[in-house]
Amino acid sequence: MMRTDVEIKIDVVAELAWQPIINETQLIVEVKEGVVWLRGIVSNLAEKVVAKKAVKKIIGVIDVVDEIEVKIKNNFSDEDLTEKINSDLKWNASVPQEEISVKVEQGNVFLSGSVKWAYQKSESEKCLQYIDGVKSITNTISITSENVTPTNIKENINKAFERSASIDSKKITVIIEGNTAILQGKVNSIKEKDDALIAAYLAEGITNVKNEIQVEYDPIYL
């Protein structure tokens, strides 16, 4: 028996309240056929990020629509934010800071440049999400990778899925088109879908991943 939208909403609200960083009274939650809409105003980007992650953990949620608005309470100059961001990137061992350009406009951060690995692009954004004063992050960093044969890429991604405790590799099909991995199939949670995306992005030679996996809850998980 599938969970009702009312049951899902109750759990979503409870999970948001469980997160110390979030003021759940500032958020509005709506659920329709397993899709959760988040609306409201928060005082920093970290709250927005944590709220979306928290909702994805709830059983029965098949997608999250994030319409949360960030309104910064403290007044930070774009120059101060740029200096802080460049410092954080410099001290992050996972990020080649010298290859990344940073631009800040009214608290909105724009990242550009070129890196060799997808995880470097992802990490450059993640490490900035908890900086006070940042409203949003637009990441247009490109990924340049050496040629790797499609057969090896597909094999390596499938092996990564098989090693994972959170991914059912038998339910996911991997298609390689050039340096793009296309993931298809059906899984039991948004977390499993996201974990598959992250694992595929770690493959050498992959510069883009199209995640076409669908979330369909098996009754055994409900």
Side-chain angles (χ1 to χ4, degrees), residues 12-20 22 24:
V12 167
V13 172
E15 185 63 29
L16 291 174
W18 184 251
Q19 303 297 323
I22 298 174
E24 75 283 359

Side-chain angles (χ1 to χ4, degrees), residues 2-221:
M2 296 298 290
R3 304 191 75 197
T4 66
D5 289 342
V6 172
E7 291 173 327
I8 293 172
K9 182 176 180 178
I10 290 173
D11 281 354
V12 167
V13 172
E15 185 63 29
L16 291 174
W18 184 251
Q19 303 297 323
I21 194 174
I22 298 174
N23 181 358
E24 75 283 359
T25 62
Q26 302 297 314
L27 299 178
I28 298 172
V29 177
E30 295 182 15
V31 184
K32 185 176 181 180
E33 297 180 353
V35 179
V36 178
W37 274 263
L38 294 176
R39 300 184 177 94
I41 298 174
V42 295
S43 60
N44 56 69
L45 182 60
E47 287 186 69
K48 180 182 173 82
V49 171
V50 172
K52 188 173 182 179
K53 287 182 179 179
V55 173
K56 286 184 176 183
K57 296 191 296 183
I58 303 302
I59 296 175
V61 174
I62 62 173
D63 200 4
V64 181
V65 180
D66 180 6
E67 297 180 351
I68 298 173
E69 182 180 357
V70 179
K71 286 191 176 182
I72 305 298
K73 292 181 178 179
N74 298 320
N75 188 22
F76 297 95
S77 70
D78 289 343
E79 291 75 16
D80 287 342
L81 281 175
T82 301
E83 183 179 352
K84 169 61 176 172
I85 288 168
N86 280 320
S87 176
D88 280 22
L89 291 175
K90 179 180 180 180
W91 286 95
N92 191 321
S94 299
V95 177
Q97 186 264 341
E98 65 279 1
E99 304 295 334
I100 299 173
S101 296
V102 177
K103 183 179 180 180
V104 181
E105 294 180 353
Q106 297 181 337
N108 299 298
V109 179
F110 299 87
L111 301 177
S112 60
S114 178
V115 296
K116 293 182 178 180
W117 291 85
Y119 82 86
Q120 294 173 323
K121 174 179 179 177
S122 176
E123 183 60 31
S124 68
E125 180 177 340
K126 288 180 180 178
C127 72
L128 308 180
Q129 291 174 341
Y130 292 84
I131 294 178
D132 198 7
V134 172
K135 292 180 181 178
S136 68
I137 301 174
T138 301
N139 190 346
T140 59
I141 295 173
S142 61
I143 304 167
T144 57
S145 181
E146 298 178 358
N147 291 329
V148 180
T149 62
T151 301
N152 287 344
I153 295 177
K154 181 176 180 178
E155 180 182 357
N156 291 338
I157 292 175
N158 280 323
K159 285 182 178 179
F161 289 169
E162 291 170 2
R163 292 192 299 268
S164 173
S166 63
I167 301 171
D168 188 344
S169 61
K170 298 183 181 63
K171 293 185 177 181
I172 300 175
T173 300
V174 179
I175 301 172
I176 302 299
E177 293 184 355
N179 293 102
T180 297
I182 303 172
L183 307 182
Q184 298 176 338
K186 296 179 181 179
V187 297
N188 292 305
S189 70
I190 295 181
K191 184 181 185 305
E192 186 176 1
K193 178 179 179 178
D194 287 351
D195 286 350
L197 175 70
I198 294 170
Y201 257 129
L202 291 174
E204 184 179 6
I206 288 298
T207 60
N208 185 40
V209 179
K210 294 181 180 179
N211 196 346
E212 299 177 357
I213 296 173
Q214 299 177 18
V215 178
E216 288 191 3
Y217 283 87
D218 190 313
I220 193 173
Y221 289 92

